């Protein structure tokens, strides 16, 4: 148990639909990261939050993607007008143990866009 | 631009043998180098990590060797077990860029009986 839950664990949707994923750290953390992992590749950074503020977004995060962390605890990642290329595992990570660089990942949400 | 290069892509090792996975990085600002283990359908799990002020770190059967001048680091798994069969990712981060992780492409390890 890494202290991070993600919901849903799996999502199948049709192209053009909107989807929303949620990340819930068990305890409070000032930082929260989102990564995307496509099949056979390592995770790639998407965005991160410092408390409620979204401080950086990767170029991978097109205008169809939006992320929020309204109360500095849980976070949501929404994809609008999904495309087949959005099919991937979406991972949430939090730093733990007092070191910002040590990130622990949740189980991920696997998205399949048909 | 791939900033962390990992090899080999796949590795088959007999039970009890030593598994060695190598990574090379380009960005000299990187100051933290973790290794993650990932099983199918699961999120990556932190295995062991090192900072560039030490050349080696050992935790149980897992050892990281770090060569700052060559900008290379490696993971050694001693006495490899079938339960170690998984995909391993090296990664690197820089505290100056919010410690976001840059991952290698992964090594699929299979430990045979």
């Amino acid at each position: 148990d890494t202290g991070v839950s993600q919901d849903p664990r799996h999502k199948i949707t049709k192209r053009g639909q909107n989807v929303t994923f949620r990340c819930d750290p068990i305890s409070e953390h000032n930082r929260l990261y989102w990564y995307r992992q496509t099949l056979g590749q390592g995770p790639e950074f998407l965005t991160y939050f410092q408390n409620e503020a979204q401080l950086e977004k990767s170029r991978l995060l097109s205008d169809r993607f939006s992320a929020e962390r309204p109360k500095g605890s849980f976070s949501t990642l929404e994809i609008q007008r999904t495309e087949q290329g959005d099919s991937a595992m979406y991972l949430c990570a939090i730093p733990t143990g007092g070191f910002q660089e040590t990130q622990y990942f949740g189980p991920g949400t696997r998205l399949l866009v048909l | 631009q791939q900033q962390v290069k990992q090899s080999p892509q796949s590795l088959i090792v007999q039970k009890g043998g030593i598994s060695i996975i190598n990574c090379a990085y380009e960005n000299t600002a990187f100051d933290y180098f973790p290794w993650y283990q990932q099983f199918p359908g699961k999120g990556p799990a932190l295995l062991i990590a090192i900072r560039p002020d030490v050349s080696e770190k050992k935790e149980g059967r897992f050892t990281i060797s770090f060569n700052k001048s060559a900008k290379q680091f490696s993971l050694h798994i001693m006495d490899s077990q079938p339960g170690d069969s998984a995909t391993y990712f090296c990664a690197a981060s820089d505290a100056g860029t919010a410690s976001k992780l840059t991952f290698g492409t992964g090594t699929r390890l299979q430990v045979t009986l």
Side-chain angles (χ1 to χ4, degrees), chain B residues 45-66:
Chain B
L46 181 67
L47 202 57
I48 186 173
I50 198 168
R51 290 189 175 86
D53 54 345
V54 297
S55 60
E56 186 174 283
K57 183 175 181 181
K58 184 176 180 180
E59 290 183 0
R61 296 185 294 110
F62 301 93
T63 300
I64 299 179
S65 297
F66 187 83

Side-chain angles (χ1 to χ4, degrees), chain B residues 9-109:
Chain B
Q9 188 174 0
S10 63
L11 183 61
I12 300 175
V13 173
Q14 281 194 325
K15 180 182 175 182
I18 303 173
S19 304
I20 301 174
I21 304 170
N22 301 299
C23 283
Y25 63 97
E26 300 166 5
N27 186 350
T28 55
F30 285 147
D31 55 13
Y32 180 72
F33 302 88
W35 284 89
Y36 285 85
Q37 178 189 59
Q38 187 175 32
F39 293 102
K42 306 291 186 183
L46 181 67
L47 202 57
I48 186 173
I50 198 168
R51 290 189 175 86
D53 54 345
V54 297
S55 60
E56 186 174 283
K57 183 175 181 181
K58 184 176 180 180
E59 290 183 0
R61 296 185 294 110
F62 301 93
T63 300
I64 299 179
S65 297
F66 187 83
N67 186 330
K68 188 174 181 179
S69 60
K71 293 187 286 185
Q72 295 176 345
F73 58 111
S74 60
L75 175 69
H76 294 232
I77 305 174
M78 312 299 287
D79 187 26
S80 299
Q81 299 297 312
D84 297 331
S85 297
T87 300
Y88 292 80
F89 293 95
C90 62
S93 67
D94 163 21
T97 57
S99 299
K100 58 188 179 186
L101 290 165
T102 299
F103 283 83
T105 50
T107 296
R108 189 168 181 177
L109 171 65

Side-chain angles (χ1 to χ4, degrees), chain A:
Chain A
D1 183 10
T2 60
V4 184
S5 64
Q6 291 189 246
D7 184 69
R9 295 292 311 279
H10 303 274
K11 179 70 177 179
I12 300 174
T13 190
K14 292 182 178 179
R15 188 177 54 181
Q17 298 295 305
N18 300 343
V19 294
T20 300
F21 312 138
R22 180 176 169 123
C23 170
D24 269 288
I26 291 178
S27 55
E28 289 188 5
H29 299 274
N30 56 356
R31 282 193 185 171
L32 185 149
Y33 300 81
W34 283 99
Y35 293 81
R36 182 176 73 182
Q37 184 177 25
T38 54
L39 210 58
Q41 298 297 316
E44 296 174 289
F45 170 78
L46 290 179
T47 187
Y48 91 98
F49 290 84
Q50 181 82 24
N51 300 313
E52 302 90 357
Q54 186 176 15
L55 295 187
E56 185 174 346
K57 294 192 290 186
S58 160
R59 280 176 286 182
L60 293 175
L61 219 62
S62 74
D63 292 343
R64 297 183 296 105
F65 288 72
S66 62
E68 293 184 343
R69 197 182 184 202
K71 298 182 180 179
S73 55
F74 73 91
S75 177
T76 59
L77 178 67
E78 181 183 15
I79 310 174
Q80 296 182 326
R81 305 181 303 282
T82 52
E83 301 174 355
Q84 289 184 326
D86 297 331
S87 296
M89 173 87 91
Y90 291 84
L91 294 158
C92 173
I94 54 170
T96 305
F99 296 100
Q100 295 286 9
E101 67 270 15
T102 305
Q103 295 180 28
Y104 293 87
F105 285 81
T109 294
R110 180 163 294 283
L111 172 67
L112 177 61
V113 181
L114 301 176

